[in-house]
Amino acid sequence: MKRSDSTLKAILDVILHDNPATQDEIAEKLGLTRRYVTKLLQPMVKRGVVRRAYILDLKKFDEFSEMFDEEKTSREYAGAYLIKDMLKNMVGHVFKQFDMSFESFVNYNDEMANKALEMDYISNNMHEKIRSSVDTVISINPYSEFSKTMVFSEVAYDLERIADHTCHIANFVLNGCYEVDAEMLEILNSMYLTSRKMVKYSMEGFLNEELDLKDKVMDYEEKIHALQKKALNQIAIQMAEDDVLDKDRSTYYLTLSRVVKAFERIGDISVEIIDAAGEFYRNIPRSTTPERFRRRSSD
């Protein structure tokens, strides 16, 4: 991508979710000169792609948006393209938060745990940014097929929920619990790797229309719940051998159970994301029953 195209994309991103009233606002936001903003926007304004003051005509912009991504399919409107880009950034950040949380758990490191929790504020802000962008897009053309963009807001919320669940992992360290033994750590490491793969494949399926990845997500879903049972059985065995009346030990088992539950919920949310992809691209209706209840009814 040429530098001018990259800058134009940044300008359009500001227009999409910040609703600037003047080019001065756009220039100040991006650290550009007003003259350069005018130069890049002028062709878009003349052709009606950008309307004063300043919003995108998404249908017209779709004719030009292929300059940003040669692999963009013709069915994607410009707003979808820009919001998908924001989702890619958000999932990258959530992965970093997830990794930092588990690393703090493995190393029993307070500093890492606090950093992971601080990253959650950014995850929340990224969700809000995507939600407001979706609202803007729908307000421009609420009756078009593009109103399906609401799904983007749902997926961003799902990513925020995943980030929230990783906080339980970091909080284990900050609650002053004992370090876990090697056998339990091995089970939890498998849960971490499995749930992380579920997030990865579900988001790839949603962002790239790779719906065949649902098979992988569901295979890992079975694995994550088998691991959950194994972890809870291990906790039950340890509790039977321990003095659970001791307050510190009681807190340990309670907080450790939340860590196990966090991995399980991250897996369930991943299933919800890949189901959302099926509805978005293929109009495959999603079940109104949450995944964890569907699973229980089939057991």
Side-chain angles (χ1 to χ4, degrees), residues 104-145:
S104 74
F105 181 88
V106 171
N107 295 296
Y108 206 68
N109 187 300
D110 284 9
E111 184 178 353
M112 286 183 181
N114 278 312
K115 284 182 179 178
L117 294 178
E118 288 171 5
M119 292 175 77
D120 195 52
Y121 291 107
I122 299 174
S123 298
N124 294 338
N125 288 336
M126 291 177 118
H127 166 238
E128 283 302 312
K129 180 178 178 181
I130 292 170
R131 185 191 61 76
S132 65
S133 297
V134 169
D135 290 345
T136 299
V137 167
I138 293 176
S139 69
I140 293 171
N141 200 354
Y143 302 109
S144 73
E145 188 176 321

Side-chain angles (χ1 to χ4, degrees), residues 28-272:
E28 183 178 354
K29 178 82 175 178
L30 297 175
L32 303 171
T33 64
R34 184 183 183 281
R35 182 176 180 180
Y36 189 50
V37 171
T38 301
K39 176 184 176 182
L40 294 182
L41 278 181
Q42 194 170 32
M44 295 289 193
V45 173
K46 284 184 177 179
R47 300 192 184 204
V49 177
V50 174
R51 304 201 303 270
R52 302 178 187 275
Y54 284 93
I55 61 173
L56 297 178
D57 185 316
L58 296 173
K59 288 186 176 180
K60 289 185 178 180
F61 179 68
D62 193 46
E63 301 170 14
F64 300 90
S65 59
E66 64 270 9
M67 72 175 69
F68 299 136
D69 190 346
E70 294 178 358
E71 297 180 358
K72 188 184 78 67
T73 60
S74 60
R75 65 193 289 182
E76 289 184 301
Y77 288 109
Y81 173 77
L82 292 171
I83 294 172
K84 273 190 176 183
D85 210 39
M86 295 162 69
L87 275 172
K88 288 177 185 176
N89 291 335
M90 184 174 182
V91 74
H93 175 79
V94 170
F95 272 137
K96 290 178 182 177
Q97 182 179 338
F98 194 3
D99 295 342
M100 179 70 74
S101 296
F102 191 67
E103 189 175 355
S104 74
F105 181 88
V106 171
N107 295 296
Y108 206 68
N109 187 300
D110 284 9
E111 184 178 353
M112 286 183 181
N114 278 312
K115 284 182 179 178
L117 294 178
E118 288 171 5
M119 292 175 77
D120 195 52
Y121 291 107
I122 299 174
S123 298
N124 294 338
N125 288 336
M126 291 177 118
H127 166 238
E128 283 302 312
K129 180 178 178 181
I130 292 170
R131 185 191 61 76
S132 65
S133 297
V134 169
D135 290 345
T136 299
V137 167
I138 293 176
S139 69
I140 293 171
N141 200 354
Y143 302 109
S144 73
E145 188 176 321
F146 193 64
S147 61
K148 290 171 65 176
T149 309
M150 277 298 297
V151 176
F152 291 146
S153 187
E154 293 177 30
V155 173
Y157 174 61
D158 287 337
L159 290 173
E160 183 191 27
R161 290 162 63 204
I162 288 171
D164 287 342
H165 284 298
T166 71
C167 292
H168 291 303
I169 302 169
N171 277 324
F172 178 90
V173 179
L174 299 177
N175 283 340
C177 294
Y178 300 94
E179 296 182 59
V180 299
D181 60 59
E183 186 176 357
M184 177 61 76
L185 186 58
E186 183 179 354
I187 299 172
L188 294 176
N189 185 63
S190 294
M191 292 192 79
Y192 159 68
L193 294 174
T194 302
S195 58
R196 195 183 191 284
K197 287 175 183 175
M198 291 180 74
V199 178
K200 176 180 182 292
Y201 287 128
S202 66
M203 285 305 301
E204 285 180 1
F206 182 81
L207 293 170
N208 304 322
E209 195 177 349
E210 296 179 21
L211 301 187
D212 290 345
L213 290 174
K214 181 170 182 177
D215 291 337
K216 284 190 174 182
V217 174
M218 299 312 294
D219 287 343
Y220 283 121
E221 194 257 354
E222 289 186 16
K223 181 177 179 180
I224 197 76
H225 293 294
L227 288 166
Q228 180 192 24
K229 289 180 181 179
K230 188 175 181 180
L232 293 177
N233 285 339
Q234 184 69 13
I235 291 174
I237 291 170
Q238 290 180 357
M239 288 179 66
E241 297 173 348
D242 211 343
D243 180 11
V244 293
L245 296 178
D246 181 274
K247 182 178 179 181
D248 289 341
R249 297 302 290 175
S250 179
T251 299
Y252 166 80
Y253 288 121
L254 177 62
T255 313
L256 184 59
S257 296
R258 287 175 181 163
V259 171
V260 173
K261 184 67 175 177
F263 289 124
E264 183 252 354
R265 289 298 297 126
I266 290 170
D268 284 350
I269 293 168
S270 299
V271 174
E272 293 174 21

